[in-house]
Amino acid sequence: MGTIVPKTDLLGTESERLQEQYGEVLRKGFAGAAKGDWEAVIDEIKTFWYTNRRLVDCILGHMCRPTEAYAFTAATYMNVADKDHYPFVALGACHFLDDPICRLSQMMGEGAKDQFRDQARELVVKAIGYNIEIIEKYSSAILILPIRYLAQTDTELIQRLGTQAFLSMFSRDMDMEQYYSKVKTTGDIEKELKPGMEKNFIFSEDDDTSLSLQKRLDEYRAGIVLPFERDVSDGTVFWFALYGYLTQALEIMMTCLQYRVVPYIRYSVAARYLLMLSRNLADDADVRFMVFRAAVAHILHRSFDKTKIETIEFEDYCRALVESSFSANVFTELESAGVTLDSLDVSKTVRIIKQNLDIALQRITAK
Amino acid sequence: MEHSKLSAHRFRKGKFITPMNAVMSGIGQHDSWYHGRVPEYLWLGLILDHYGRDVGLSKCNLILKSLRKIAPEMVIPRLSSVFALDEKVQTEFYDCVLAVVPREVLCPLTCIFTYSHHPAFTKAFLKSDVSVEDRFATVVRLLKEISDHQSHLSTDIRFLVLYLGLLSGKMHMPEEMLLNVLEYPKCSHDDERMRKLRPTIRAMELAFREVGFNQDTRNKAYLQSFWKDVSRMGDCELFYLEFAEPKPDAKDYSERVKRILEYYAELQGAANPIDNKMLVLLGIATYSFKRLSELVRHELYHEISGRGIIRVLVEDYIMMKYLLKNEADRSDIWSEFQSYGIGQYKIIVAKWRDSGKDLKTSHVAYEYMSILVNEHMDEEFLDMDTSYFDKQPIRLKAEDVGEKELYSLYYDYDSAFEHGLWGAIRESSLIKCNSSVHQYHCVPDIEDRQKLKSVWHDCVRVMDMTLGILEGIYGLRTSVKDGDNCAED
């Protein structure tokens, strides 16, 4: 588990120091944000990570075996009040929380609309609060690192691949310029989409694919704050939603492959797009391994019964997972049961996870 | 600068003491220009850098006068002293600065002095539309420019330091000197008078730095934090020396040496198979040849191992000469040489036996060594000499045979590599980083980029000298010497 940070190794000591210093920056930043010093607070966080970028690389690269490292990513924050950290640490040996603050701060930039900026600020404050709590209470198990912010992913490549993936859903060969001129209404989208394609994508966790595309799109539009005027065409909103998810999934995939960490994705929409894209890279062993582990982690997250750990201390919980070899047993049993990326049997996976979790938790109650 | 001759050094307890160190102690790092003072005066450097000398100096003049009014106790314009002021006083000063220069001038420093520790400074000078990378790049560029304590920009900064001292009234100097100082900002750096003024300014600033230094622990903490932060932010800029040479025609040379040694070996077998002297001399020469062959086969010319090879060639050559020189005075120096070497093996075998350890996977073949030890004489009759052969180190042997230079210019240098001494480690295994923010440190050369100067030419020279010894004793037929070329003639 990430709970064991040996005092005698420099990397362990440095990672502890890094978290402590970041905690200090965040505590002062929290107070500064309350005083309205947004610009300076965000700038300091960015500077902090820039200064320590090589150490972050070193931690991601060497803290534990690549197959055993999980990164909580594609989320605005980790909700520790809702005990998100319990399922997160269940699989693997090292757990990194992809710091959302730098990413959120990009949404607060110059061009952003006031409402959008205010919402981003609210999220930043929330994320700072949760980050402080994680550092103060759980830093022995979870390290906060700005994984996606510092990853040297090729933005242009991601944008190109995202556009390519988006346009590949349409029957007609076209570029984005042609898309904007031809696809404006929902009717245009339906006319141009490949047959059956409308069931493949979702707009949100609550998206009901049995409804009409117009209704689904209207609900999506009503439920979010768009970074542009509300009267933009359905075609633009459709592009905004899907292109955002696709590029996010591509970025997660490329970043996690770069550091060889498994993405732990809480949000089922992001997990779905990751699985969707990974099908295009079916021959790559690293991708297959990473996506399989990410899928198992996502299933664990969705099926995790938090009522079972309500009264259990986090440290006891972590210790029980290690002592019962929870993670290793889950993957051994999945292999024996023939569960693979190609035959991802969700109910079998849930059963194996639950059985092993019960065994681990029994150790605590037995004591 | 001309370096002191070895003879000018004082030799004390096995150490050569430099003439300079013999009379004075070293200069501490904490008050050196680059490490100890540049971080304090970087802000003045940024203003000069932004506006150029003339406008920059006059802007600084206004700012330092404000500082004098706001913080009259401040004698030296150290940034750490400014940061130590009450936050309200700091804000008052920063407002004065901003009345003279826009915030982008000192903005680069906000990537080092951030909000949680320096809220007033950050709020005054931060321009978040300038990226952290760009701000840091400006700091790095300036640090590089003023890393030379004698550069024009550095001297201008040092003048400003003195200037606040003068404004404070705590610095006193003879009138003539004062006039010189006041003349400095008026003269351009091309002015002939500056040849005298610049060193004066530097010398005075150097003397002035002592004011309040010893009591100021705040300054040390500031420096430590400054260098820690900038060194973490900066990337290494590695550079190493290229000693690339065209590959030598080593194959032809090796074949020639082989041909000659084959001739001597054949000659020995044919003429006198039990001639111990010839066996020893040929054995030593063959050992040198085998090491030379390894050099060629594995292309070790520029590698550390190559240094080990040339060192052995030198030692073998000196030993051959030494044995020959002392041959007449001894009954059988050749057997003595052999007994000494085998005796060394016996010590190792005896220690292995005493240890009671198996050591099957060790690279030392103890069982086989034991057979060698008993090859010609029962080991019970073989003494073990723990000192040098003939009680003389190789240095004295080299002197004895007139090869002092070979020892002092080659063997000693190569020994540093064989013993892993720091000079050899620095030359071969560390690369210099040219980053000013890393204070020009070294980094381990894990990637094996740094190659060394080739040992090939020296190996050829010493091998030829070794063969020359054999030729001097046993002669060498022209047909053997020239090989096939001769036959064709």
Side-chain angles (χ1 to χ4, degrees):
Chain A
M1 289 295 305
T3 46
I4 302 161
V5 181
K7 291 277 179 196
T8 47
D9 84 303
L10 183 61
L11 188 62
T13 314
E14 282 294 294
S15 70
E16 274 180 17
R17 179 198 58 76
L18 185 74
Q19 296 296 293
E20 276 167 26
Q21 284 185 351
Y22 189 44
E24 196 189 330
V25 167
L26 290 174
R27 276 188 290 275
K28 287 185 177 166
F30 199 73
K35 283 192 274 178
D37 295 337
W38 277 101
E39 203 185 354
V41 169
I42 294 294
D43 190 76
E44 171 152 38
I45 292 171
K46 284 182 184 171
T47 307
F48 178 83
W49 287 128
Y50 179 77
T51 307
N52 290 290
R53 66 195 184 282
R54 280 191 302 258
L55 180 60
V56 172
D57 269 348
C58 205
I59 293 170
L60 287 168
H62 306 292
M63 201 61 162
C64 65
R65 290 163 60 216
T67 54
E68 295 297 330
Y70 283 70
F72 191 100
T73 188
T76 42
Y77 49 81
M78 179 190 272
N79 191 342
V80 282
D82 195 31
K83 297 193 183 296
D84 268 354
H85 50 308
Y86 279 75
F88 173 48
V89 300
L91 296 171
C94 285
H95 302 90
F96 307 122
L97 167 62
D98 187 7
D99 189 1
I101 296 175
C102 299
R103 308 274 306 177
L104 285 169
S105 72
Q106 287 167 338
M107 292 157 61
M108 294 160 50
E110 287 291 311
K113 278 172 56 183
D114 287 349
Q115 191 195 354
F116 200 66
R117 191 183 299 168
D118 290 345
Q119 201 175 13
R121 282 183 177 177
E122 251 177 60
L123 289 173
V124 168
V125 170
K126 218 176 230 183
I128 290 178
Y130 282 133
N131 275 3
I132 292 172
E133 193 175 350
I134 289 162
I135 289 170
E136 287 176 351
K137 293 184 184 164
Y138 312 116
S139 64
S140 58
I142 300 165
L143 297 177
I144 303 176
L145 304 172
I147 304 173
R148 278 195 294 161
Y149 181 67
L150 290 186
Q152 290 170 339
T153 43
D154 185 338
T155 316
E156 274 183 33
L157 177 69
I158 288 174
Q159 286 170 351
R160 205 171 63 240
L161 291 174
T163 305
Q164 207 175 306
F166 175 74
L167 293 172
S168 71
M169 296 194 303
F170 299 93
S171 308
R172 185 202 297 258
D173 265 348
M174 55 184 165
D175 57 23
M176 280 313 292
E177 221 166 282
Q178 289 165 318
Y179 172 81
Y180 286 128
S181 67
K182 287 192 168 48
V183 185
K184 287 185 173 149
T185 65
T186 309
D188 295 337
I189 299 169
E190 284 172 327
K191 198 175 88 187
E192 297 292 342
L193 275 177
K194 282 178 182 167
M197 189 54 82
E198 67 280 0
K199 305 280 181 205
N200 273 0
F201 54 79
I202 51 172
F203 295 120
S204 68
E205 288 200 302
D206 306 322
D207 187 15
D208 181 354
T209 54
S210 65
L211 297 175
S212 72
L213 184 60
Q214 183 68 60
K215 188 144 181 54
R216 289 169 64 196
L217 205 53
D218 286 346
E219 279 179 9
Y220 171 73
R221 196 195 268 260
I224 65 151
V225 177
L226 291 167
F228 29 67
E229 298 305 321
R230 292 213 70 83
D231 57 358
V232 289
S233 73
D234 282 352
T236 302
V237 175
F238 182 72
W239 165 82
F240 174 77
L242 266 61
Y243 176 76
Y245 290 136
L246 287 166
T247 49
Q248 182 191 43
L250 279 164
E251 195 188 359
I252 291 169
M253 193 184 285
M254 287 165 83
T255 306
C256 290
L257 280 172
Q258 180 186 329
Y259 291 117
R260 301 189 69 197
V261 294
V262 178
Y264 181 96
I265 300 169
R266 185 178 59 181
Y267 190 37
S268 56
V269 180
R272 187 176 175 132
Y273 281 91
L274 184 74
L275 268 171
M276 204 166 109
L277 281 174
S278 70
R279 288 190 199 115
N280 295 334
L281 296 159
D283 296 336
D284 190 304
D286 283 346
V287 173
R288 290 178 63 80
F289 180 87
M290 184 192 81
V291 175
F292 176 61
R293 295 229 160 186
V296 174
H298 182 68
I299 293 169
L300 182 144
H301 179 84
R302 306 293 298 181
S303 63
F304 196 85
D305 183 358
K306 287 178 181 167
T307 59
K308 287 188 177 177
I309 45 93
E310 255 171 0
T311 56
I312 295 174
E313 289 294 326
F314 187 64
E315 278 190 18
D316 295 337
Y317 168 77
C318 291
R319 199 175 307 114
L321 290 171
V322 174
E323 287 172 358
S324 65
S325 305
F326 171 79
S327 186
N329 289 345
V330 165
F331 285 107
T332 310
E333 287 176 33
L334 285 173
E335 197 181 352
S336 307
V339 178
T340 65
L341 186 62
D342 299 322
S343 55
L344 195 58
D345 187 326
V346 176
S347 53
K348 260 190 203 172
T349 308
V350 169
R351 185 172 46 77
I352 289 170
I353 288 169
K354 280 192 170 169
Q355 278 171 358
N356 280 285
L357 197 59
D358 286 342
I359 292 168
L361 298 180
Q362 273 162 18
R363 298 177 77 94
I364 304 170
T365 44
K367 281 179 186 170
Chain B
M1 180 182 163
E2 200 172 314
H3 296 292
S4 316
K5 289 191 169 164
L6 196 56
S7 55
H9 288 61
R10 192 183 296 172
F11 191 72
R12 204 187 295 155
K13 290 182 183 170
K15 268 174 89 174
F16 285 106
I17 312 291
T18 71
M20 197 71 96
N21 281 347
V23 292
M24 65 189 286
S25 60
I27 295 165
Q29 195 194 29
H30 71 276
D31 54 354
S32 72
W33 166 250
Y34 188 59
H35 179 86
R37 278 131 68 209
V38 161
E40 295 282 18
Y41 310 142
L42 201 56
W43 67 286
L44 294 168
L46 280 168
I47 298 171
L48 293 175
D49 178 64
H50 186 87
Y51 289 102
R53 185 167 189 262
D54 292 343
V55 180
L57 284 174
S58 84
K59 297 260 180 198
C60 288
N61 172 31
L62 295 173
I63 291 168
L64 290 176
K65 278 181 176 160
S66 306
L67 183 61
R68 167 80 193 121
K69 271 187 204 153
I70 291 166
E73 73 290 351
M74 202 179 293
V75 182
I76 297 181
R78 289 188 190 125
L79 202 49
S80 65
S81 305
V82 174
F83 288 153
L85 296 170
D86 179 80
E87 204 170 313
K88 274 186 187 162
V89 182
Q90 276 188 61
T91 306
E92 192 187 341
F93 173 59
Y94 299 149
D95 286 344
C96 291
V97 174
L98 287 169
V100 180
V101 299
R103 58 167 56 193
E104 66 246 37
V105 178
L106 294 187
C107 169
L109 291 176
T110 59
C111 74
I112 301 163
F113 307 112
T114 51
Y115 178 73
S116 59
H117 289 99
H118 306 283
F121 183 82
T122 316
K123 278 195 265 181
F125 299 108
L126 175 65
K127 267 178 77 52
S128 60
D129 55 332
V130 184
S131 72
V132 180
E133 289 90 333
D134 288 347
R135 277 177 262 163
F136 184 62
T138 306
V139 171
V140 173
R141 183 181 54 73
L142 192 64
L143 279 174
K144 196 162 247 175
E145 212 171 320
I146 55 179
S147 61
D148 173 6
H149 71 109
Q150 293 185 334
S151 73
H152 290 174
L153 183 56
S154 299
T155 313
D156 289 344
I157 294 170
R158 295 170 81 167
F159 162 77
L160 289 169
V161 175
L162 280 181
Y163 182 66
L164 185 67
L166 288 171
L167 286 179
S168 74
K170 295 200 175 141
M171 192 181 187
H172 305 283
M173 60 183 77
E175 194 181 339
E176 192 191 345
M177 201 180 269
L178 181 65
L179 289 173
N180 274 340
V181 172
L182 296 176
E183 198 65 12
Y184 179 83
K186 294 178 198 160
C187 294
S188 115
H189 278 296
D190 301 328
D191 194 316
E192 193 59 28
R193 283 174 294 171
M194 283 297 239
R195 291 167 69 89
K196 187 183 154 199
L197 284 176
R198 277 191 298 260
T200 308
I201 295 292
R202 290 195 292 264
M204 288 174 72
E205 186 271 330
L206 195 63
F208 190 51
R209 82 192 193 282
E210 288 300 335
V211 178
F213 225 111
N214 295 335
Q215 298 87 347
D216 203 348
T217 50
R218 189 174 59 235
N219 166 268
K220 280 182 189 163
Y222 167 86
L223 292 177
Q224 205 175 19
S225 158
F226 176 89
W227 285 117
K228 204 170 175 183
D229 283 348
V230 295
S231 63
R232 278 208 182 117
M233 288 180 107
D235 290 320
C236 281
E237 297 166 23
L238 302 179
F239 74 92
Y240 49 92
L241 302 176
E242 284 278 5
F243 288 114
E245 285 178 30
K247 270 191 187 172
D249 193 2
K251 204 171 156 225
D252 274 4
Y253 180 76
S254 295
E255 278 171 6
R256 187 176 147 256
V257 178
K258 186 168 179 256
R259 190 173 64 238
I260 293 169
L261 287 175
E262 276 172 350
Y263 163 72
Y264 287 128
E266 201 180 329
L267 191 64
Q268 188 213 13
N272 196 353
I274 52 167
D275 179 349
N276 209 25
K277 173 182 171 180
M278 194 169 184
L279 175 71
V280 168
L281 290 174
L282 268 185
I284 297 174
T286 304
Y287 186 69
S288 290
F289 170 65
K290 285 200 75 168
R291 298 299 302 267
L292 183 87
S293 301
E294 285 176 4
L295 180 83
V296 174
R297 199 176 331 127
H298 302 292
E299 299 191 351
L300 301 172
Y301 314 109
H302 299 276
E303 310 295 332
I304 296 169
S305 304
R307 263 98 182 117
I309 291 171
I310 177 64
R311 180 176 182 265
V312 163
L313 260 63
V314 168
E315 186 162 2
D316 283 351
Y317 169 70
I318 291 170
M319 186 60 79
M320 283 169 87
K321 280 188 85 172
Y322 181 82
L323 293 171
L324 286 165
K325 188 180 177 212
N326 292 281
E327 180 187 17
D329 303 333
R330 312 282 266 274
S331 61
D332 185 1
I333 199 169
W334 311 105
S335 296
E336 282 174 42
F337 178 71
Q338 288 170 305
S339 296
Y340 171 80
I342 290 296
Q344 297 291 310
Y345 260 39
K346 186 183 163 186
I347 297 172
I348 298 159
V349 171
K351 283 181 180 166
W352 167 64
R353 284 189 195 129
D354 288 354
S355 78
K357 288 186 177 161
D358 184 11
L359 305 177
K360 282 271 184 238
T361 55
S362 162
H363 76 285
V364 187
Y366 298 101
E367 300 280 6
Y368 179 55
M369 279 172 78
S370 173
I371 294 167
L372 295 179
V373 167
N374 289 279
E375 190 178 22
H376 295 299
M377 183 196 291
D378 190 307
E379 67 174 275
E380 294 309 316
F381 300 99
L382 183 68
D383 291 332
M384 297 175 280
D385 188 345
T386 57
S387 83
Y388 303 106
F389 171 65
D390 231 13
K391 312 285 180 212
Q392 267 191 338
I394 189 73
R395 179 176 61 82
L396 293 179
K397 288 191 178 84
E399 281 174 18
D400 191 25
V401 299
E403 296 292 352
K404 190 180 170 187
E405 200 175 282
L406 204 53
Y407 173 86
S408 53
L409 295 185
Y410 293 86
Y411 185 88
D412 229 7
Y413 163 77
D414 297 314
S415 293
F417 286 84
E418 290 304 276
H419 298 308
L421 300 184
W422 191 254
I425 291 170
R426 171 62 191 86
E427 186 187 348
S428 64
S429 307
L430 298 172
I431 311 184
K432 195 79 180 159
C433 166
N434 198 29
S435 167
S436 52
V437 295
H438 289 170
Q439 299 183 32
Y440 307 101
H441 71 153
C442 289
V443 295
D445 180 25
I446 312 291
E447 300 297 329
D448 193 23
R449 283 176 277 205
Q450 178 62 66
K451 297 296 174 192
L452 303 163
K453 259 193 105 179
S454 173
V455 296
W456 176 245
H457 304 292
D458 293 327
C459 281
V460 168
R461 195 178 131 228
V462 180
M463 192 72 228
D464 281 347
M465 282 153 60
T466 304
L467 293 176
I469 293 178
L470 296 177
E471 189 178 346
I473 304 169
Y474 305 109
L476 186 62
R477 309 296 299 178
T478 315
S479 58
V480 180
K481 204 175 197 173
D482 297 340
D484 293 342
N485 294 339
C486 177
E488 279 167 21
D489 290 342

